[in-house]
Amino acid sequence: MTTVQEAADRVAAPRPRGGIGQSVNDSLVVAKRNLIRMTRIPEMIIFGMIQPIMFVVLFSYVFGGSMQIGGSTSSSVYREFLMAGIFAQTVTFATAGAGAGIADDMHKGLIDRFRSLPMTRGAVLTGRTLADLVQTALTVVVLAVVALLVGWRIHEGVLKALAAFALLLLLGYAFSWIGALIGLSVRTPEAATSGGLIWLFPVTFISNAFVDSSKMTPWLQTIAEWNPFSATVQACRELFGNPGVSASDAWPMQHPVLASIIYSILIIAVFRTLAVRKYRSAV
């Protein structure tokens, strides 16, 4: 009788999930936890939106009349040229926040609490990066509204514009894994913030985001054209139908959409592997 009952209990009991299913579920649980935390600290979201809006206003109205794009010095032309770069800068600058958040969790011992739970190791980082991606998407939506107000327009239809935003979010998600690795490699959230921004400035400014890269010196132009950041900016300009699509012979500039996807996937593959490995050794 006991044997029969035990067999029935084994059949009735739910089987524990493993592999990809368990990892996805754990990642979503961690992402939900981080999203709830963000809603309880609204200033995190508000301050994250203020910076890109300031960049739009400052670059549009302070530098707009001094920039020559396609032979035109019109500020309206420069605003349309600029917005793809501002969008890309916004999603990549979220890297610093991702790194600081993970460093803060490490510093407070929250990661040690996760270790006591029956969850996959990589889920802690994946959930965090997914939550940051949601926050970044919200910032991009607000920024797009501001851009429309200052004169930016799309000229290739809604579907292509959505594809451009998808590329932006893919790039932002890829860079968030760089931030995760930085957050795991430093001792304090302050160091993670500083470390997350130092390398971003040359990446975003040695590019085609704010100026025409063809006007740079040859060696600097080569760096800018092969910069993964530039590929996404170029792809967005092409999909938005904005001015400034370069006639460069560099492969990423000739095939920016494909180059953007390849760059982002490679960054995710490399830095997710390194971050998860660092996480396992750190805890």
Side-chain angles (χ1 to χ4, degrees), residues 65-89:
S66 304
M67 298 292 183
Q68 185 173 4
I69 304 297
S72 173
T73 56
S74 169
S75 59
S76 61
V77 172
Y78 181 69
R79 277 195 291 271
E80 291 208 343
F81 170 86
L82 172 71
M83 281 316 304
I86 294 292
F87 282 132
Q89 185 192 55

Short mmCIF file of all heavy atoms in Angstrom, two decimals, residues 65-89:
data_model
loop_
_atom_site.label_atom_id
_atom_site.label_comp_id
_atom_site.label_asym_id
_atom_site.label_seq_id
_atom_site.Cartn_x
_atom_site.Cartn_y
_atom_site.Cartn_z
N GLY A 65 23.21 75.53 -35.57
CA GLY A 65 23.49 76.46 -36.66
C GLY A 65 24.93 76.48 -37.11
O GLY A 65 25.25 77.11 -38.13
N SER A 66 25.82 75.79 -36.39
CA SER A 66 27.25 75.79 -36.73
C SER A 66 27.67 74.53 -37.46
O SER A 66 28.82 74.44 -37.92
CB SER A 66 28.09 75.94 -35.45
OG SER A 66 27.71 77.08 -34.73
N MET A 67 26.81 73.55 -37.54
CA MET A 67 27.15 72.27 -38.15
C MET A 67 26.72 72.23 -39.61
O MET A 67 25.64 72.70 -39.96
CB MET A 67 26.49 71.12 -37.39
CG MET A 67 26.94 71.00 -35.94
SD MET A 67 28.67 70.50 -35.84
CE MET A 67 28.84 70.35 -34.05
N GLN A 68 27.58 71.66 -40.45
CA GLN A 68 27.26 71.52 -41.87
C GLN A 68 27.03 70.04 -42.17
O GLN A 68 27.94 69.22 -42.04
CB GLN A 68 28.39 72.07 -42.74
CG GLN A 68 28.07 72.05 -44.23
CD GLN A 68 29.13 72.75 -45.06
OE1 GLN A 68 30.15 73.18 -44.53
NE2 GLN A 68 28.91 72.84 -46.35
N ILE A 69 25.81 69.72 -42.57
CA ILE A 69 25.44 68.34 -42.89
C ILE A 69 24.94 68.30 -44.32
O ILE A 69 23.95 68.94 -44.66
CB ILE A 69 24.34 67.82 -41.93
CG1 ILE A 69 24.80 67.93 -40.48
CG2 ILE A 69 23.97 66.39 -42.29
CD1 ILE A 69 26.01 67.10 -40.14
N GLY A 70 25.64 67.54 -45.15
CA GLY A 70 25.25 67.45 -46.56
C GLY A 70 25.26 68.78 -47.28
O GLY A 70 24.44 69.02 -48.17
N GLY A 71 26.17 69.66 -46.88
CA GLY A 71 26.26 70.97 -47.52
C GLY A 71 25.31 72.00 -46.96
O GLY A 71 25.30 73.16 -47.40
N SER A 72 24.49 71.61 -45.99
CA SER A 72 23.51 72.53 -45.41
C SER A 72 23.89 72.86 -43.97
O SER A 72 24.32 71.99 -43.21
CB SER A 72 22.12 71.90 -45.44
OG SER A 72 21.19 72.71 -44.74
N THR A 73 23.73 74.12 -43.59
CA THR A 73 23.98 74.55 -42.21
C THR A 73 22.66 74.80 -41.48
O THR A 73 22.65 75.42 -40.42
CB THR A 73 24.84 75.82 -42.19
OG1 THR A 73 24.18 76.85 -42.96
CG2 THR A 73 26.22 75.56 -42.75
N SER A 74 21.56 74.34 -42.04
CA SER A 74 20.26 74.53 -41.42
C SER A 74 20.18 73.78 -40.09
O SER A 74 20.56 72.60 -40.01
CB SER A 74 19.15 74.04 -42.36
OG SER A 74 17.91 73.98 -41.70
N SER A 75 19.69 74.44 -39.07
CA SER A 75 19.57 73.80 -37.76
C SER A 75 18.54 72.67 -37.79
O SER A 75 18.67 71.69 -37.06
CB SER A 75 19.19 74.84 -36.69
OG SER A 75 17.97 75.47 -37.02
N SER A 76 17.53 72.80 -38.63
CA SER A 76 16.52 71.73 -38.72
C SER A 76 17.12 70.47 -39.33
O SER A 76 16.78 69.35 -38.92
CB SER A 76 15.32 72.21 -39.55
OG SER A 76 15.71 72.54 -40.88
N VAL A 77 18.00 70.63 -40.30
CA VAL A 77 18.68 69.48 -40.90
C VAL A 77 19.57 68.80 -39.86
O VAL A 77 19.60 67.57 -39.75
CB VAL A 77 19.50 69.90 -42.13
CG1 VAL A 77 20.37 68.74 -42.63
CG2 VAL A 77 18.59 70.38 -43.24
N TYR A 78 20.27 69.62 -39.09
CA TYR A 78 21.16 69.04 -38.07
C TYR A 78 20.36 68.33 -36.99
O TYR A 78 20.80 67.30 -36.47
CB TYR A 78 22.03 70.13 -37.44
CG TYR A 78 22.98 69.56 -36.40
CD1 TYR A 78 24.03 68.74 -36.78
CD2 TYR A 78 22.79 69.83 -35.04
CE1 TYR A 78 24.89 68.19 -35.83
CE2 TYR A 78 23.64 69.29 -34.09
CZ TYR A 78 24.69 68.47 -34.49
OH TYR A 78 25.53 67.93 -33.55
N ARG A 79 19.19 68.83 -36.64
CA ARG A 79 18.38 68.17 -35.62
C ARG A 79 17.98 66.77 -36.07
O ARG A 79 17.99 65.82 -35.28
CB ARG A 79 17.14 69.01 -35.29
CG ARG A 79 17.41 70.12 -34.28
CD ARG A 79 16.12 70.68 -33.72
NE ARG A 79 15.35 71.43 -34.72
CZ ARG A 79 15.51 72.73 -34.94
NH1 ARG A 79 16.41 73.42 -34.26
NH2 ARG A 79 14.78 73.35 -35.85
N GLU A 80 17.63 66.63 -37.33
CA GLU A 80 17.27 65.30 -37.83
C GLU A 80 18.50 64.40 -37.88
O GLU A 80 18.42 63.20 -37.61
CB GLU A 80 16.62 65.40 -39.20
CG GLU A 80 15.24 66.06 -39.18
CD GLU A 80 14.36 65.56 -40.31
OE1 GLU A 80 14.89 64.97 -41.27
OE2 GLU A 80 13.13 65.74 -40.23
N PHE A 81 19.65 64.98 -38.26
CA PHE A 81 20.90 64.23 -38.27
C PHE A 81 21.27 63.79 -36.85
O PHE A 81 21.73 62.67 -36.62
CB PHE A 81 22.00 65.11 -38.86
CG PHE A 81 23.39 64.55 -38.71
CD1 PHE A 81 23.91 63.68 -39.64
CD2 PHE A 81 24.19 64.93 -37.64
CE1 PHE A 81 25.20 63.17 -39.50
CE2 PHE A 81 25.47 64.44 -37.49
CZ PHE A 81 25.99 63.55 -38.42
N LEU A 82 21.04 64.67 -35.89
CA LEU A 82 21.48 64.47 -34.52
C LEU A 82 20.73 63.36 -33.79
O LEU A 82 21.32 62.63 -32.99
CB LEU A 82 21.33 65.78 -33.75
CG LEU A 82 21.54 65.76 -32.23
CD1 LEU A 82 23.02 65.55 -31.92
CD2 LEU A 82 21.04 67.07 -31.61
N MET A 83 19.44 63.23 -34.03
CA MET A 83 18.60 62.42 -33.16
C MET A 83 19.00 60.96 -33.11
O MET A 83 18.94 60.33 -32.05
CB MET A 83 17.14 62.56 -33.55
CG MET A 83 16.48 63.83 -33.06
SD MET A 83 16.88 64.24 -31.33
CE MET A 83 16.37 62.76 -30.49
N ALA A 84 19.45 60.39 -34.22
CA ALA A 84 19.89 58.99 -34.17
C ALA A 84 21.05 58.83 -33.21
O ALA A 84 21.14 57.85 -32.47
CB ALA A 84 20.27 58.52 -35.57
N GLY A 85 21.95 59.81 -33.22
CA GLY A 85 23.08 59.77 -32.30
C GLY A 85 22.67 59.93 -30.86
O GLY A 85 23.19 59.25 -29.96
N ILE A 86 21.70 60.81 -30.59
CA ILE A 86 21.22 61.01 -29.22
C ILE A 86 20.51 59.75 -28.72
O ILE A 86 20.69 59.33 -27.57
CB ILE A 86 20.28 62.22 -29.14
CG1 ILE A 86 21.04 63.51 -29.43
CG2 ILE A 86 19.62 62.29 -27.77
CD1 ILE A 86 22.03 63.90 -28.38
N PHE A 87 19.70 59.15 -29.58
CA PHE A 87 19.02 57.90 -29.19
C PHE A 87 20.06 56.84 -28.81
O PHE A 87 19.93 56.17 -27.78
CB PHE A 87 18.16 57.38 -30.35
CG PHE A 87 16.86 58.09 -30.51
CD1 PHE A 87 16.45 58.52 -31.77
CD2 PHE A 87 16.02 58.33 -29.44
CE1 PHE A 87 15.24 59.18 -31.94
CE2 PHE A 87 14.81 58.97 -29.60
CZ PHE A 87 14.42 59.40 -30.86
N ALA A 88 21.08 56.68 -29.66
CA ALA A 88 22.09 55.65 -29.41
C ALA A 88 22.89 55.97 -28.15
O ALA A 88 23.21 55.07 -27.36
CB ALA A 88 23.02 55.53 -30.61
N GLN A 89 23.21 57.24 -27.96
CA GLN A 89 23.94 57.63 -26.75
C GLN A 89 23.12 57.34 -25.49
O GLN A 89 23.64 56.87 -24.48
CB GLN A 89 24.31 59.11 -26.80
CG GLN A 89 25.17 59.56 -25.62
CD GLN A 89 25.28 61.06 -25.52
OE1 GLN A 89 24.27 61.76 -25.47
NE2 GLN A 89 26.50 61.56 -25.51
#
